[in-house]
Amino acid sequence: MSDPLPRSLDQRLDALARHPFRAKFHLRGRERVTAELSGPSTMRWHAYDLIAKRLAPAEPYKDGKQTPYRGHPVFVAQHATATCCRTCLQRWHEIPKGRS
């Protein structure tokens, strides 16, 4: 999914929203309640922490399998925004593998 010109984040998120696999991710049930009760600042901190540990390293442990589909609102958001593994980061956001 490479474009000759870099796309803005808004353009990438619009494309992700139209992608059938990505568009099916929504907060439901326990994950929705967790996000509502925790609030935006706590969710931002959890996202920062989870991404720093599971995605940010140049070669993450269990890459491609490190982000469950359910269990935490951040996991759902990562799949919806293609920030779940290094392959998706490269494909959708043009962040190459092997780079922290």
Side-chain angles (χ1 to χ4, degrees), residues 27-94:
L27 291 180
R28 295 183 175 96
R30 185 185 310 170
E31 290 139 351
R32 184 180 187 104
V33 171
T34 299
E36 289 172 353
L37 291 175
S38 299
S41 61
T42 300
M43 285 294 101
R44 267 190 224 99
W45 188 88
H46 284 192
Y48 176 84
D49 187 51
L50 288 168
I51 289 170
K53 291 176 182 170
R54 295 172 176 247
L55 189 66
E59 295 179 18
Y61 177 69
K62 294 175 111 178
D63 190 30
K65 297 178 178 134
Q66 75 269 39
T67 307
Y69 285 104
R70 300 275 176 230
H72 193 286
V74 173
F75 297 154
V76 177
Q78 283 184 265
H79 287 291
T81 59
T83 56
C84 45
C85 67
R86 299 303 297 214
T87 299
C88 290
L89 278 179
Q90 184 171 335
R91 183 178 300 143
W92 286 94
H93 302 285
E94 300 169 3

